[in-house]
Amino acid sequence: MFSYTSIKEYHSFLGTNPDGCMQAVKHYIAAIEANKHLNAFLEVFADEALQRAAELDKQRTEGQTMGRLHGVVVSLKDVICYKGHKVTAASKILDNFESVYSATAVERLLAEGAIIIGRNNCDEFAMGSSSENSAFGTVKNARDTSRVPGGSSGGSAVAVQADLTMISLGSDTGGSVRQPADFCGIIGMKPSYGRISRYGLIAYASSFDQIGIFGKNLADVAIALEVMSGEDNFDSTASSKPVAHYEEHSHKLITGKKIAYFKQVLDHPGIDPEIKAATENYIQTLKDKGFIVEAINFDWLDYIVPTYYILTTAEATSNLSRFDGVRYGFRSTEGIDDLNEMYKQSRSKGFGKEVQRRILLGNFVLSSGYFDAYFTKAQQVRKLLSDNTATIFEQYDAIISPTVPAPAFKLGEKSDDSVAMYLADIYTVYANLVGLPSISVPLFTHSNGMPFGLQLMTNHYEEELMFALSNSFLAK
Ligand code: GLN
């Protein structure tokens, strides 16, 4: 029976198995079918994936050179465009909408031989922390199906967690890759803002959004990052900085680096006592491994969630104004003979509750009477955080923290309390506010049986160091 550990081992398996890609794709199609109850996939591109596997097997056995992702099975969060395929952002408003072009990230995966197996369920328009806000049903955590997988990229996380794909793509605006990775016990990484082109990623908050990667091991994530990163004429925020050989760094063992953690993070009243204890013990382990780990002050912890929600909802309000019932997907027409009423009904019926809440909140913070009090203030806090981050990285190589203050919660537990849901983003939104690369590394297990991780951040465009440190942390 086919089993998967890493791209490297899969590629050596392909060397002796002329139908290896086909075996892999058949295996995943059956696994997805057998795990339908997890609701991780909105659509499986079965016939197409089988056909592509056959082509790749043929090319390889005929002696053509293999791409870096030859035959690698990948699934996409349903906010990433793949030409000729549906993309809905898990929203009714885009029901049956088909991508007219592919995201640059997708084009680059395909150019290196990847096989796209399907679309993953998520929170509607990537807004949420539990994958319960999808118009197409809740995603379940494979470790304990009474619990959430995290969000918003919950389907992509579960796809890797439950072995339904080799790697998957998510998007991370405030933690949507790292937090589900933490809840599912896998690796989830968001690169620096600008490392991967956002062309073809349905926008939530454009100055925060980044495509991120889920994987079972660091090297896989590093290879996928290498393939997707780099300059893009279609996204002026995509950096032209050279793309490093990230994989090489994902095998390095290093020590002696200076690592900071925020005192206020571990002293926060909302942190689960076991997560606090595990992180504190781990800090000692890191010191024993030869790292210099020091507590530093971070006085803004209570401001970062409000700042994040003010700025992201403001951006979302603008980004989502294009979904008006005219240009894309769903339109409400029944009994309507007035244009304004058509807009109103289409948006009221097409968007779910959480998306509507955020559009209202975003309009509120941008309205003339409140603009200075909320939006301008939040921009000032963001600037302050950026300046402070630069000062931290003058003295330290990295910052660590728990990824989330508590492990995966029960389905429905927080769905009626949006403030509690938002507050759980307290450790992840910082990296997006300042654009840092960040990764959640699965290191711990809670007494309730659920996994949790350690979050690591390095300075802008220091993904190499992030991978080397992660590998050193994971090494026994
Ligand atoms: N949970 C956060 C939110 O709801 C993060 C979402 C994301 O990163 N896409 O905004």
Side-chain angles (χ1 to χ4, degrees):
M1 210 190 84
F2 180 83
S3 75
Y4 178 77
T5 44
S6 66
I7 295 174
K8 190 162 180 245
E9 287 190 26
Y10 173 54
H11 279 179
S12 68
F13 159 87
L14 292 181
T16 51
N17 285 271
D19 65 341
C21 295
M22 200 61 158
Q23 282 188 45
V25 170
K26 282 185 176 159
H27 165 83
Y28 287 115
I29 290 172
I32 295 168
E33 183 60 33
N35 286 282
K36 265 192 151 154
H37 62 287
L38 299 174
N39 206 16
F41 278 80
L42 292 175
E43 189 179 354
V44 184
F45 309 138
D47 293 343
E48 199 187 312
L50 287 166
Q51 197 187 335
R52 179 140 165 100
E55 278 161 22
L56 288 162
D57 282 335
K58 185 163 175 282
Q59 286 170 12
R60 187 179 68 256
T61 45
E62 280 172 356
Q64 285 190 30
T65 37
M66 285 163 63
R68 283 178 288 175
L69 294 176
H70 180 98
V72 172
V73 176
V74 183
S75 60
L76 306 176
K77 181 178 183 179
D78 194 31
V79 290
I80 299 171
C81 295
Y82 179 19
K83 190 176 176 172
H85 298 77
K86 280 192 203 167
V87 63
T88 71
S91 180
K92 210 179 139 191
I93 209 154
L94 280 175
D95 208 5
N96 291 322
F97 178 76
E98 241 181 47
S99 296
V100 286
Y101 58 86
S102 289
T104 300
V106 171
E107 295 275 11
R108 290 182 182 173
L109 292 176
L110 292 171
E112 290 292 336
I115 302 172
I116 313 269
I117 194 131
R119 302 189 274 133
N120 292 128
N121 202 354
C122 57
D123 283 306
E124 185 177 3
F125 282 97
M127 296 174 181
S129 307
S130 63
S131 299
E132 294 171 294
N133 295 339
S134 164
F136 306 108
T138 300
V139 185
K140 299 193 172 74
N141 194 313
R143 188 80 69 99
D144 173 352
T145 53
S146 71
R147 292 183 189 270
V148 302
S152 61
S153 316
S156 305
V158 171
V160 169
Q161 177 197 34
D163 289 314
L164 313 180
T165 187
M166 294 176 188
I167 51 176
S168 64
L169 298 192
S171 65
D172 191 311
T173 304
S176 280
V177 168
R178 290 158 287 151
Q179 185 255 24
D182 171 279
F183 282 10
C184 293
I186 57 172
I187 294 166
M189 190 276 310
K190 104 169 242 300
S192 306
Y193 182 78
R195 185 66 300 186
I196 299 178
S197 165
R198 290 179 296 109
Y199 181 72
L201 167 67
I202 295 180
Y204 159 15
S206 314
S207 75
F208 292 74
D209 298 340
Q210 264 298 288
I211 288 176
I213 307 157
F214 292 98
K216 288 234 154 175
N217 63 76
L218 275 176
D220 283 8
V221 174
I223 296 169
L225 180 66
E226 253 172 69
V227 167
M228 291 187 289
S229 292
E231 201 167 6
D232 181 16
N233 287 340
F234 295 117
D235 175 7
S236 60
T237 65
S239 170
S240 57
K241 281 198 175 31
V243 177
H245 190 16
Y246 299 122
E247 193 211 341
E248 191 185 304
H249 295 271
S250 75
H251 299 295
K252 283 193 175 157
L253 284 174
I254 56 171
T255 184
K257 294 285 176 193
K258 270 190 92 180
I259 301 171
Y261 65 94
F262 298 147
K263 198 175 152 305
Q264 286 77 358
V265 159
L266 291 185
D267 290 344
H268 198 267
I271 191 170
D272 177 284
E274 281 188 39
I275 294 185
K276 178 179 159 91
T279 311
E280 279 170 349
N281 287 341
Y282 197 71
I283 288 170
Q284 189 51 49
T285 309
L286 288 178
K287 288 179 181 167
D288 297 342
K289 284 187 176 191
F291 292 101
I292 300 150
V293 192
E294 290 172 358
I296 59 169
N297 261 323
F298 183 72
D299 293 324
W300 301 287
L301 192 62
D302 289 335
Y303 300 105
I304 61 175
V305 168
T307 303
Y308 168 83
Y309 277 94
I310 289 169
L311 296 176
T312 54
T313 54
E315 293 190 24
T317 292
S318 159
N319 276 326
L320 270 60
S321 64
R322 73 191 68 176
F323 303 108
D324 55 4
V326 177
R327 284 172 285 187
Y328 306 89
F330 172 78
R331 174 182 305 170
S332 180
T333 48
E334 225 169 289
I336 301 174
D337 51 12
D338 169 72
L339 180 65
N340 275 326
E341 195 55 26
M342 189 280 291
Y343 288 146
K344 221 158 137 184
Q345 290 298 328
S346 299
R347 286 170 69 82
S348 301
K349 290 183 185 150
F351 288 133
K353 228 167 100 187
E354 182 60 27
V355 175
Q356 293 192 31
R357 177 183 291 130
R358 295 193 190 200
I359 292 173
L360 291 173
L361 185 59
N363 274 305
F364 175 75
V365 300
L366 289 174
S367 60
S368 56
Y370 295 97
F371 187 86
D372 287 342
Y374 293 104
F375 188 75
T376 309
K377 253 289 170 291
Q379 292 281 45
Q380 287 166 342
V381 176
R382 193 179 198 184
K383 172 76 170 78
L384 203 108
L385 290 171
S386 283
D387 293 348
N388 183 249
T389 306
T391 316
I392 296 171
F393 283 110
E394 277 167 18
Q395 293 172 53
Y396 294 92
D397 300 299
I399 305 170
I400 54 167
S401 78
T403 308
V404 194
F409 45 92
K410 296 272 186 186
L411 293 162
E413 193 180 315
K414 292 194 184 171
S415 7
D416 293 329
D417 187 351
S418 33
V419 173
M421 192 80 98
Y422 295 174
L423 282 173
D425 298 334
I426 188 159
Y427 301 154
T428 47
V429 296
Y430 172 69
N432 305 78
L433 277 160
V434 298
L436 298 176
S438 181
I439 188 166
S440 180
V441 185
L443 285 172
F444 313 109
T445 308
H446 198 272
S447 61
N448 69 7
M450 297 312 287
F452 61 97
L454 184 82
Q455 177 177 236
L456 166 70
M457 293 172 263
T458 52
N459 207 353
H460 297 106
Y461 294 97
E462 290 194 351
E463 276 82 0
E464 296 104 303
L465 179 62
M466 181 179 73
F467 281 115
L469 282 170
S470 304
N471 186 50
S472 312
F473 291 1
L474 282 164
K476 288 283 169 292

